[in-house]
Amino acid sequence: MSLINGLPAHVLLVHIVVVLVPLTALALVAAALWPRAAQRLGPLLPFLALIALVSVPLTTQAGEWLERHVNNDALVRRHTEMGDGLLPWVLGLFLFAAVVWWAARSVPAEPVRGGRMRWSAPPVRIVVGVLSLAVAVGAVVDVYRIGDSGAKAAWHDTVSKTATGTDDGS
C-alpha cells in the first residue's frame, strides 16, 4: 500500500491505529474487570480488537513504503523501528479480548459444583483482569511513544519556533 487519493497511506491509516488501539484497550480492561461490561460488549470487543490487529501491519507496511520515499533521517529510522514493536501488543489485546468475550458468553447460569473452577470465579477473573490491564497499558504506551516519535520525525525541521510571516488577521 502506497498512496490513497494522492496522500501517503501511512498518514491516513495511522489514525485507525491511534484511535482503535486505545479504545480496544479501554474496552478490554472494562470487560475483564466487570463481567457485566463483557456481556454488554459481546462480540464487539473481539471484533474491535481484530480490526485494530489488522490495521497495525497495514499501517506498518505503508510506513515502510513512506520511509523509502522520504529523506533518510535518524528520527524516521527510530520511528520505523519502534513501529515494528506494536504488533505483539495488539496481538495480546486481541487474544485477551477473545478470551474475555468467550468467558463472558460461556458463564453458566448456575454455579458450577464439584469444586471445578469457572471463568467467572474471582481468582480467574483477577488473573485475566491483571494480565489484560498489563497488555492494555503496554499497547497504549507503545502507541503513544510511536506516535510521538513519528510526529518528531515528520515535524522536527518543518516548523519554526518564531513566526515567519505576517499575521494580517484574515
Side-chain angles (χ1 to χ4, degrees), residues 98-112:
V99 166
V100 168
W101 168 72
W102 180 81
R105 65 184 290 274
S106 66
V107 172
E110 298 176 13
V112 177

Side-chain angles (χ1 to χ4, degrees), residues 4 20-21 27 40-41 71 78 84 87 92 122 124 137 140 150 153 163-164:
I4 298 175
L20 282 186
V21 171
R40 289 192 126 185
L41 284 168
N71 292 334
R78 176 171 160 70
D84 290 336
L87 188 59
V124 174
V137 168
V140 170
T164 59

Side-chain angles (χ1 to χ4, degrees), residues 21-22 25-26 28-29 82 85-93 130-146:
V21 171
L26 181 62
L28 173 60
V29 169
M82 290 176 75
L86 183 59
L87 188 59
W89 288 111
V90 180
L91 178 60
L93 283 178
V130 167
L131 292 174
S132 295
L133 180 63
V135 168
V137 168
V140 170
V141 167
D142 209 28
V143 165
Y144 172 81
R145 292 178 64 240
I146 294 165

Side-chain angles (χ1 to χ4, degrees), residues 9-136:
H10 180 73
V11 175
L12 300 171
L13 293 172
V14 74
H15 291 86
I16 297 170
V17 173
V18 168
V19 170
L20 282 186
V21 171
L23 183 63
T24 302
L26 181 62
L28 173 60
V29 169
L33 297 178
W34 297 285
R36 188 155 176 83
Q39 291 171 341
R40 289 192 126 185
L41 284 168
L44 179 63
L45 178 61
F47 180 71
L48 200 62
L50 179 62
I51 293 172
L53 179 61
V54 169
S55 70
V56 169
L58 290 176
T59 304
T60 303
Q61 182 182 20
E64 289 170 356
W65 178 89
L66 182 59
E67 179 187 24
R68 292 188 301 271
H69 291 85
V70 297
N71 292 334
N72 189 4
D73 183 276
L75 293 173
V76 172
R77 285 191 304 274
R78 176 171 160 70
H79 173 66
T80 303
E81 290 168 6
M82 290 176 75
D84 290 336
L86 183 59
L87 188 59
W89 288 111
V90 180
L91 178 60
L93 283 178
F94 174 72
L95 292 174
F96 277 103
V99 166
V100 168
W101 168 72
W102 180 81
R105 65 184 290 274
S106 66
V107 172
E110 298 176 13
V112 177
R113 302 201 195 297
R116 291 190 341 218
M117 189 142 262
R118 66 178 195 187
W119 279 100
S120 64
V124 174
R125 213 170 50 233
I126 289 169
V127 169
V128 170
V130 167
L131 292 174
S132 295
L133 180 63
V135 168

